[in-house]
Amino acid sequence: MEKLIEQIVRNNDLQLREDEVESKVKEYVKNIKDKRYDFSNCNKEIYTQGKKKRVIYSFDDNSVEAVLCKYLKRRLDYIFRIKYPSRNKIINSLFGTLPVIKDLNDFVIIRADFKSFFDNVISKYVYTNYIEESSLSRADKQLFENYVNTFKFCYAGLCLSNVMTEIICSDFDKNLRAKLDEYGVVYCERYVDDILIVLNSYISQTDIENLINDSIKEIFGICPVEINLHKYKYICKRRISDSQDFDFLGYNFILKYDIESNKISFLFGITEKKRKKYYNRFKQAFYEYSINHDIELFRQRTKIFSTRVVITKALGNNSFQWVAKGVVANYNELRYHLDCLDSETEKFLRNTYFNLIRELGLPMPYFIKDSLNGESAYNLYSCLKRNRSTIYDNKIGTKMNDLVAKVKKIKPSYYCGTKTYFQIVSEYLEMLKME
């Protein structure tokens, strides 16, 4: 236990001295062994998306409960050999598969997701059917039992919810794929609660729905898990007579059918929901500029919003993690298909900044005006096309001195002192409100 908690403590605060790490580890371990923790001491925040409200649970970062949950998650990750799905790999595989799909003699595409997934997976069911019989130590099982007695469901926001749902979903994936084998599986991927299936033979909508529901019943048992019918899509080549579309992981896919040639082609883009999300985020920056008139802050914000931001994050033990942010990073696959963008996505990428300037009645800044002529770091389309990246790594990217100089341009009083490179990057991106 001590070794894992030490890693957690170091990752929580990379600036701690060795004696501070040792002291914190001893304190956490003692509190856990003395049962001085209470899982009911969690925070609950309500997020509203349209008419839908979601409750997100969390613990304070340095609380005993937060550290204990991270410890148990690492134990389960190891014992069950959890491999969390990668959005980038799934999307890359999908784009590699799509050229094959349009030329198949027959195909069926099913886009589905689970309804209120995290609020419907019963934590004790996962514990009883998977964790209780695992090789997890008796002491850790007791800790886990205390946890599942507190949280009835695998609520969103809790790190243990992620690992518990992946444990049971791993069985669901295997069960579903086995049922689909006879129909020829071209593509079958699940990312958390989102599912996309492509088959190269016909299956009716009723039959595929029954098949998916059978897998849900067999694996999730008493958990009230079900498919969200409002987002469900069934596309069959035999019935395509016009354009049809589906979305997956923020991307939009449009199947265009040409009657004369009897050919199918694809258009790609960003879903309307995601475009609105980014538009509103950009609008906030433009609105703040209309109030404070800070042209340098506005320039740096516009530039950072436009590029693929890549950050090196140390994980301890000389290991690192690459973190990518921004529209260009999240929809990087589109740069290979710029001639097949849907019209709304292309307008969003090319014209968003100009539209916001007109909408808010702002004078045209020189750097955005210049973006009308050729390639520019202040235009989303241009940056996506060139895969323009801003790399925050002191060795291969923006150097420490250059980073501090950027910060001081928007905050002259900034003092870096003994702060690490990653700390300065974090504070800089917070100033720019880069999420």
Side-chain angles (χ1 to χ4, degrees), residues 97-124:
T97 305
L98 291 177
V100 178
I101 296 173
K102 64 185 179 63
D103 295 326
L104 292 173
N105 291 327
D106 208 351
F107 66 74
V108 172
I109 299 172
I110 302 99
R111 166 69 175 94
D113 69 354
F114 296 119
K115 183 178 181 181
S116 302
F117 183 54
F118 289 99
D119 292 342
N120 285 321
V121 178
I122 300 172
S123 57
K124 201 155 194 174

Side-chain angles (χ1 to χ4, degrees), residues 131-388:
I131 299 169
E132 193 171 33
E133 300 303 319
S134 73
S135 59
L136 193 69
S137 71
R138 184 178 298 178
D140 288 345
K141 285 177 184 176
Q142 182 59 57
L143 292 170
F144 226 106
E145 199 166 345
N146 294 337
Y147 177 88
V148 299
N149 285 334
T150 303
F151 298 106
K152 181 178 179 181
F153 295 99
C154 295
Y155 296 116
L158 299 170
C159 68
L160 281 174
S161 294
N162 297 333
V163 66
M164 292 175 77
T165 51
E166 279 304 315
I167 287 171
I168 192 169
C169 278
S170 177
D171 261 6
F172 172 79
D173 295 342
K174 294 172 187 174
N175 184 289
L176 180 60
R177 184 175 275 272
K179 285 180 166 58
L180 293 171
D181 271 349
E182 65 179 283
Y183 299 98
V185 179
V186 177
Y187 184 89
C188 182
E189 292 289 351
R190 175 192 56 81
Y191 184 83
V192 190
D193 56 350
D194 289 310
I195 303 166
L196 183 65
I197 301 165
V198 181
L199 307 173
N200 65 8
S201 62
Y202 176 77
I203 181 173
S204 71
Q205 183 168 350
T206 300
D207 286 346
I208 188 64
E209 287 174 8
N210 289 337
L211 189 149
I212 294 172
N213 287 328
D214 285 345
S215 282
I216 290 174
K217 290 174 186 175
E218 290 167 19
I219 301 303
F220 290 99
I222 62 172
C223 302
V225 173
E226 60 182 349
I227 291 298
N228 186 350
L229 296 177
H230 294 294
K231 292 185 178 181
Y232 185 85
K233 273 288 179 79
Y234 172 87
I235 299 173
C236 173
K237 184 175 182 179
R238 298 181 182 186
R239 297 182 188 173
I240 291 181
S241 57
D242 199 357
S243 297
Q244 294 198 47
D245 69 284
F246 65 92
D247 68 272
F248 190 53
L249 305 187
Y251 283 86
N252 197 43
F253 302 89
I254 302 173
L255 288 81
K256 300 279 289 183
Y257 177 68
D258 186 280
I259 299 175
E260 292 184 7
S261 64
N262 194 30
K263 294 286 186 180
I264 293 172
S265 59
F266 277 98
L267 292 179
F268 311 107
I270 304 170
T271 62
E272 182 182 6
K273 180 181 177 182
K274 294 298 182 182
R275 292 198 310 270
K276 283 183 177 179
K277 174 185 172 183
Y278 283 113
Y279 191 88
N280 289 332
R281 188 181 298 171
F282 299 152
K283 186 175 181 179
Q284 183 62 33
F286 279 65
Y287 174 74
E288 288 175 8
Y289 168 62
S290 73
I291 301 299
N292 59 36
H293 305 295
D294 188 334
I295 189 71
E296 180 58 26
L297 173 62
F298 182 57
R299 185 189 69 79
Q300 291 197 38
R301 290 183 78 178
T302 308
K303 187 175 182 179
I304 208 78
F305 287 160
S306 304
T307 63
R308 175 173 172 261
V309 178
V310 182
I311 307 163
T312 303
K313 183 178 181 182
L315 298 177
N317 298 324
N318 296 317
S319 61
F320 298 88
Q321 176 185 16
W322 292 99
V323 179
K325 297 184 176 185
V327 180
V328 172
N330 289 334
Y331 298 94
N332 197 250
E333 202 65 38
L334 293 179
R335 72 189 176 98
Y336 302 109
H337 305 277
L338 293 176
D339 56 341
C340 299
L341 289 180
D342 70 61
S343 59
E344 293 303 315
T345 295
E346 184 166 353
K347 284 189 285 187
F348 167 77
L349 293 171
R350 288 185 182 277
N351 305 324
T352 287
Y353 296 160
F354 302 107
N355 292 340
L356 283 169
I357 286 169
R358 285 195 294 267
E359 183 180 336
L360 296 174
L362 296 172
M364 180 73 74
Y366 68 92
F367 47 88
I368 292 182
K369 185 177 181 180
D370 291 344
S371 71
L372 290 168
N373 304 313
E375 306 296 351
S376 170
Y378 303 94
N379 181 277
L380 291 164
Y381 184 91
S382 174
C383 288
L384 177 66
K385 178 182 177 181
R386 294 179 294 151
N387 193 30
R388 185 181 177 92

